[in-house]
Amino acid sequence: MKTILTVIGKDQTGIIAGVSQQLYELNINILDVSQTIMGDFFTMIMLLDLSKVDRPFDEVKQILTETGDRLKVKVNLQREEIFDAMHRL
């Protein structure tokens, strides 16, 4: 299953490292990533492959939300098909 992960928050050191480490621990593969700094804010979007994850999607989503809380950023995980449907013209 492919998913879209977004991360937004005040720029600080360790955001990429913290998110990437959690993805590694969950056995999630990063397929593509884009990140930028907009003023004082860090933004990142990732395309992820969850095909090797052995946990339910909602549990993975909760773990990543908690990771964001620890890093003081907003983390959101969406299934790719839902993301596509929401952004289709």
Side-chain angles (χ1 to χ4, degrees), residues 35-86:
Q35 63 88 34
T36 191
I37 306 297
M38 296 172 41
D40 292 335
F41 291 92
F42 172 85
T43 64
M44 180 168 62
I45 185 167
M46 293 179 158
L47 176 61
L48 305 174
D49 178 5
L50 275 68
S51 63
K52 296 184 180 176
V53 175
D54 61 355
R55 298 172 187 237
F57 178 81
D58 289 338
E59 183 179 340
V60 171
K61 186 173 183 172
Q62 182 61 36
I63 291 168
L64 291 169
T65 297
E66 291 168 2
T67 299
D69 291 345
R70 277 196 319 279
L71 296 170
K72 297 182 174 70
V73 294
K74 174 72 174 163
V75 174
N76 188 36
L77 185 67
Q78 298 178 66
R79 297 176 196 269
E80 183 182 38
E81 61 269 17
I82 294 172
F83 185 85
D84 286 344
M86 287 174 39

Side-chain angles (χ1 to χ4, degrees), residues 8-44:
I8 300 172
K10 187 111 169 119
D11 187 34
Q12 60 182 326
T13 58
I15 297 171
I16 295 173
V19 172
S20 297
Q21 179 64 36
Q22 186 63 69
L23 295 174
Y24 168 76
E25 290 173 9
L26 291 166
N27 203 26
I28 296 173
N29 189 33
I30 301 169
L31 301 174
D32 199 359
V33 62
S34 176
Q35 63 88 34
T36 191
I37 306 297
M38 296 172 41
D40 292 335
F41 291 92
F42 172 85
T43 64
M44 180 168 62

